Amino acid sequence: MSSKKTTIHDIAEKLNITASTVSRALNNNPRISDTTKKAVLNMAQDLNYQPNNIAAALRKGKSQLIGVIVPTINRSFFSSVIRGVEEVANQLNYRVVVSQSNEDSDNEIATLNALVNARVDGVLVSIGKNTKDFDHYKNLIRRGVPLVLFDRTTNEISTSQVIIDDFLGGYMATEHLIKQGYKKIAHFTNYNKINIYKERYRGYIEALKDYNIPFYNKLICESNMQLEDGRMCTEQLLRSGQKFDAIFSTSDYAAMGAMQVLKENSIKIPEEVGLVGFSNEPFTSFTDPPLTTLSQFPIEMGHAAAELFFEILNSKKDKLIPQKTVLQPKLIVRASSIKQRK
Amino acid sequence: MSSKKTTIHDIAEKLNITASTVSRALNNNPRISDTTKKAVLNMAQDLNYQPNNIAAALRKGKSQLIGVIVPTINRSFFSSVIRGVEEVANQLNYRVVVSQSNEDSDNEIATLNALVNARVDGVLVSIGKNTKDFDHYKNLIRRGVPLVLFDRTTNEISTSQVIIDDFLGGYMATEHLIKQGYKKIAHFTNYNKINIYKERYRGYIEALKDYNIPFYNKLICESNMQLEDGRMCTEQLLRSGQKFDAIFSTSDYAAMGAMQVLKENSIKIPEEVGLVGFSNEPFTSFTDPPLTTLSQFPIEMGHAAAELFFEILNSKKDKLIPQKTVLQPKLIVRASSIKQRK
DNA sequence: TTGTATGCGTTATCAC
DNA sequence: GTGATAACGCATACAA
């Protein structure tokens, strides 16, 4: 019933040695004899010793903990990135701690502070859509806390980041639709002009230009890119009378909304309207028809982010130039964009 | 450029007071004068002071951190539970730290130890499917660490838990199918006989009995309940020649697999075969036809789990009887199980 | 209302 | 190969 936690001192006392020896034995210090090590390990087991990592962290000034902040945990993309980070971190005996900002800027700051105050050894962040002010991140860097940005990044912060080539993604999606014979391609994008959406938009424009397809402003719909927004954009398109024969949505969820509205209006996909999403959320393979989309290789992104992080951690912090890892997206072609040949 | 972190001592020195006063001022101790408090707060700001929660945790013996372990973060159900936990915890100035076991028993133990060693004030766990040995959890309780189980629980551990009434869920799903006129209802369940699946199965059996529907063993398929397993079970059913006109799958993913195979075989849903899943994963409303399923109210489950946790935390630990919160599931009726009247 | 002294559990430094 | 001691940054019992 002794709810008292056993410490290295308890072990030391039982063994008639000192706490320092116990500490060293537990850390497998080469200067400790095998006999003592064994004795310590056994006694630790007997007393059900659990190391107090908090004390160690205080003393060492590092916690072996790395914090990850994502807008939401509830997206396959983000949870897969986290998985990737974990894989690298665990290998190096680091634990990963996750918090979600819920796309709320204040919450993002609070969460960041909480992690920093919990003395994580560094932070990996995907910035929320609504965050416009990056002072806390700049501040972090000034204080020497390793920071890596992934996916939702900004150039306003001078630190390492990993992104996918969103421009290329936008280009590939649009080019694919063009090659399938679609000519009037609508584009759903986010009204928050964060990098990833700007780049995808650029890719869309560039592809149109390269294939001499005219650009119509009325084919662009800006929204928050949730399912409901995709519905709204599609309904708006239909009402507007503006002809379109394809939609490239920069989010799978908005694409799903588009699919629903199209089906409700008995518009055939892909025969009458081709559809392409973005992110390869698992449900995209379940829809009818299955949705063409782009994979962002989230696991690999997690790997890359973790690697950049450890690079910072292990460098002389004074003179490290920020790295940028750019991953290639991949087009996953499914039925929603394969025009039937007549 | 001073990467040196400022401490309460630095603040104290600048202000010609002692560290204890600073500590009290920062903690808004009523015995400190407003003037000093203001001065301290200002100076803290000026020096960009960030409290070292690790030191505080070591001193206080508590970290204001609560750990959550889930089999996987990549399920809407689990991430929503986490959201619920956060809502309650943040209100009380606790932060939530999440780790995934990836359904791996060893990983679950490692993760648990990591959290405990990081001195979280307690742990909320949904046990992995493959975990058969609960010693580490019993151990935890013996050491006085608050533990709450949710959803994937076991009666072998004497601690508070929150579950949904899985028996009722199983009953409701089956009864719904029966009332729609389906008579030969197949059931997909997990081969790991953890509580939730046993209970849903019981509900299925009970409903059959109440409505005098004969039970056929060949209509039961045990698997790991992923999409692929649902496909396999359905293919097996079709090959077996055993007639069936409905499937109640204890997982949305397996139900999705069933839907795919049925469609591939040109079997009409819901006309020829009715389909019901379990969990109300978001994609279930995207499928064609949309999938009838059961909501487990994950956010509410998170709330309940957090509340049970704080109950333990705030009690005299010696004499607290474990509580059990049971939530009611709700049937979400969609097209996949609404038989067309002829 | 504030100061003094002490300890949380560990590890690093120095000594032997 | 092991021991003694101090320190990480904070909070609290006790004193004033």
Side-chain angles (χ1 to χ4, degrees):
Chain A
M1 270 309 112
S2 88
S3 170
K4 254 195 126 15
K5 282 138 185 159
T6 75
T7 73
I8 52 172
H9 290 101
D10 301 327
I11 301 179
E13 196 174 357
K14 293 263 185 192
L15 256 35
N16 267 320
I17 53 179
T18 67
S20 352
T21 307
V22 174
S23 171
R24 284 188 272 248
L26 291 171
N27 289 305
N28 204 15
N29 186 312
R31 301 190 320 193
I32 299 292
S33 74
D34 284 356
T35 3
T36 344
K37 273 185 196 168
K38 251 173 217 137
V40 168
L41 255 33
N42 281 333
M43 185 57 72
Q45 187 117 41
D46 286 358
L47 298 180
N48 194 11
Y49 167 74
Q50 295 292 128
N52 186 331
N53 285 354
I54 279 205
L58 177 61
R59 179 60 237 245
K60 289 194 290 195
K62 42 187 292 187
S63 58
Q64 301 278 116
L65 236 48
I66 100 182
V68 176
I69 302 178
V70 291
T72 169
I73 228 167
N74 191 4
R75 283 280 179 281
S76 171
F77 171 70
F78 286 119
S79 57
S80 299
V81 174
I82 291 167
R83 187 83 204 88
V85 173
E86 279 178 350
E87 285 176 3
V88 174
N90 290 349
Q91 209 81 39
L92 297 169
N93 255 308
Y94 275 73
R95 303 298 308 178
V96 174
V97 157
V98 180
S99 279
Q100 30 187 359
S101 65
N102 295 299
E103 305 277 11
D104 177 279
S105 204
D106 291 340
N107 199 342
E108 191 174 310
I109 299 178
T111 277
L112 181 69
N113 279 334
L115 289 178
V116 170
N117 296 347
R119 289 302 189 267
V120 293
D121 292 343
V123 195
L124 313 193
V125 182
S126 196
I127 301 172
K129 281 179 192 168
N130 305 310
T131 301
K132 314 270 191 233
D133 183 285
F134 307 108
D135 283 355
H136 28 304
Y137 293 114
K138 293 176 188 164
N139 207 331
L140 206 64
I141 297 175
R142 214 173 304 122
R143 301 220 315 279
V145 180
L147 170 69
V148 173
L149 303 178
F150 64 92
D151 193 50
R152 308 256 203 97
T153 69
T154 170
N155 295 327
E156 290 197 35
I157 306 172
S158 162
T159 192
S160 289
Q161 43 178 274
V162 38
I163 52 174
I164 64 150
D165 190 335
D166 283 290
F167 169 80
L168 181 61
Y171 191 96
M172 286 164 73
T174 312
E175 182 179 43
H176 163 71
L177 284 168
I178 294 170
K179 287 192 167 168
Q180 285 292 318
Y182 299 104
K183 297 222 152 54
K184 294 195 184 308
I185 304 170
H187 181 50
F188 294 178
T189 183
N190 199 281
Y191 51 56
N192 274 301
K193 283 282 157 279
I194 65 177
N195 279 359
I196 56 172
Y197 299 115
K198 275 195 284 197
E199 286 298 297
R200 292 171 196 178
Y201 180 73
R202 272 215 311 126
Y204 163 78
I205 297 290
E206 185 85 1
L208 291 184
K209 215 164 57 180
D210 285 359
Y211 286 86
N212 291 310
I213 310 264
F215 166 83
Y216 295 103
N217 200 34
K218 287 177 80 179
L219 287 175
I220 307 298
C221 183
E222 297 187 353
S223 74
N224 196 31
M225 300 305 280
Q226 302 304 303
L227 185 134
E228 276 311 316
D229 304 299
R231 293 189 58 97
M232 192 204 61
C233 281
T234 311
E235 281 161 358
Q236 203 169 288
L237 266 178
L238 289 172
R239 267 201 314 273
S240 77
Q242 168 71 47
K243 294 262 183 279
F244 67 100
D245 61 3
I247 299 174
F248 163 38
S249 162
T250 221
S251 130
D252 284 332
Y253 284 86
M256 188 59 223
M259 185 180 289
Q260 290 181 347
V261 170
L262 291 174
K263 285 166 95 170
E264 285 162 21
N265 285 274
S266 305
I267 297 172
K268 291 218 177 341
I269 309 167
E271 292 84 351
E272 299 175 69
V273 171
L275 197 52
V276 175
F278 210 111
S279 283
N280 196 26
E281 286 286 326
F283 74 78
T284 54
S285 66
F286 301 162
T287 56
D288 186 26
L291 185 66
T292 295
T293 185
L294 283 113
S295 170
Q296 301 165 282
F297 299 104
I299 302 260
E300 286 75 7
M301 181 172 281
H303 289 169
E307 276 153 18
L308 288 181
F309 169 79
F310 286 110
E311 225 167 74
I312 301 180
L313 198 65
N314 298 326
S315 72
K316 304 279 126 237
K317 269 153 211 163
D318 350 326
K319 273 285 157 64
L320 179 82
I321 42 169
Q323 304 293 315
K324 188 178 215 162
T325 302
V326 180
L327 303 175
Q328 301 287 313
K330 186 179 160 210
L331 189 71
I332 315 275
V333 179
R334 300 208 185 94
S336 73
S337 66
I338 305 180
K339 209 167 190 171
Q340 307 301 326
R341 319 152 198 278
K342 33 207 134 142
Chain B
M1 274 307 115
S2 87
S3 171
K4 255 195 125 14
K5 280 137 187 158
T6 75
T7 74
I8 51 173
H9 290 100
D10 301 326
I11 301 179
E13 196 174 356
K14 293 263 185 192
L15 257 36
N16 268 320
I17 53 180
T18 67
S20 6
T21 306
V22 175
S23 170
R24 285 190 270 250
L26 290 172
N27 289 308
N28 204 16
N29 186 313
R31 303 188 318 192
I32 299 293
S33 75
D34 284 355
T35 4
T36 343
K37 273 185 196 169
K38 253 173 214 138
V40 168
L41 254 32
N42 281 333
M43 186 56 73
Q45 187 116 44
D46 286 358
L47 299 180
N48 194 10
Y49 168 73
Q50 294 293 128
N52 186 330
N53 285 354
I54 279 205
L58 177 60
R59 175 61 234 255
K60 289 195 292 197
K62 43 187 293 190
S63 58
Q64 301 279 113
L65 236 48
I66 100 181
V68 175
I69 302 178
V70 292
T72 169
I73 230 169
N74 191 3
R75 282 279 180 281
S76 171
F77 171 70
F78 286 119
S79 58
S80 299
V81 174
I82 291 167
R83 188 82 204 90
V85 173
E86 279 177 351
E87 285 175 2
V88 174
N90 290 350
Q91 210 81 39
L92 297 168
N93 255 310
Y94 275 73
R95 303 297 310 178
V96 174
V97 157
V98 180
S99 278
Q100 29 187 359
S101 66
N102 294 300
E103 305 277 13
D104 177 280
S105 205
D106 291 340
N107 199 341
E108 191 174 310
I109 299 179
T111 277
L112 182 69
N113 278 334
L115 289 179
V116 170
N117 296 347
R119 289 303 188 268
V120 294
D121 292 343
V123 194
L124 313 192
V125 184
S126 197
I127 302 172
K129 280 179 193 168
N130 305 311
T131 301
K132 314 271 190 233
D133 184 285
F134 306 107
D135 283 354
H136 29 304
Y137 293 113
K138 293 176 187 165
N139 207 333
L140 208 62
I141 297 174
R142 213 174 303 123
R143 301 220 315 279
V145 180
L147 171 69
V148 172
L149 303 178
F150 63 91
D151 192 53
R152 308 257 203 95
T153 70
T154 171
N155 295 326
E156 290 196 37
I157 306 171
S158 162
T159 192
S160 291
Q161 44 179 270
V162 37
I163 51 173
I164 64 149
D165 190 336
D166 284 290
F167 169 81
L168 181 61
Y171 190 96
M172 286 163 73
T174 313
E175 182 180 44
H176 163 71
L177 285 168
I178 295 171
K179 287 191 167 169
Q180 286 291 318
Y182 299 104
K183 296 221 151 58
K184 293 193 185 308
I185 304 170
H187 181 51
F188 294 177
T189 184
N190 199 281
Y191 52 57
N192 274 301
K193 283 280 156 281
I194 67 177
N195 279 357
I196 56 172
Y197 300 115
K198 277 195 284 198
E199 285 298 298
R200 293 171 196 178
Y201 180 73
R202 272 214 313 125
Y204 163 78
I205 297 289
E206 187 84 0
L208 291 184
K209 216 163 59 184
D210 286 358
Y211 287 86
N212 291 311
I213 310 265
F215 167 83
Y216 296 103
N217 200 35
K218 286 177 80 179
L219 287 174
I220 307 298
C221 183
E222 297 185 354
S223 75
N224 196 32
M225 300 306 279
Q226 303 303 301
L227 185 135
E228 275 311 315
D229 303 300
R231 292 188 59 96
M232 191 204 61
C233 281
T234 310
E235 280 162 357
Q236 203 169 288
L237 265 177
L238 290 172
R239 269 201 313 272
S240 77
Q242 169 70 47
K243 293 262 182 279
F244 66 100
D245 61 4
I247 298 174
F248 164 37
S249 162
T250 222
S251 130
D252 284 332
Y253 285 86
M256 187 61 223
M259 185 180 289
Q260 289 180 347
V261 170
L262 291 174
K263 286 165 93 171
E264 285 162 20
N265 284 273
S266 305
I267 297 172
K268 291 219 178 339
I269 308 167
E271 293 82 351
E272 299 175 70
V273 171
L275 196 52
V276 175
F278 211 111
S279 284
N280 195 26
E281 286 285 327
F283 74 78
T284 55
S285 67
F286 302 162
T287 56
D288 185 28
L291 185 66
T292 295
T293 184
L294 284 112
S295 170
Q296 301 165 281
F297 297 104
I299 302 260
E300 288 75 7
M301 181 171 281
H303 290 169
E307 276 153 17
L308 288 181
F309 170 79
F310 286 110
E311 226 167 73
I312 301 179
L313 198 66
N314 299 325
S315 72
K316 304 277 127 237
K317 269 153 210 162
D318 350 329
K319 273 284 155 61
L320 178 83
I321 42 168
Q323 306 291 316
K324 189 178 214 161
T325 302
V326 180
L327 302 175
Q328 302 287 311
K330 185 177 162 215
L331 190 71
I332 315 274
V333 179
R334 300 207 185 95
S336 73
S337 65
I338 306 180
K339 210 168 191 171
Q340 307 300 328
R341 318 152 199 280
K342 36 210 133 134

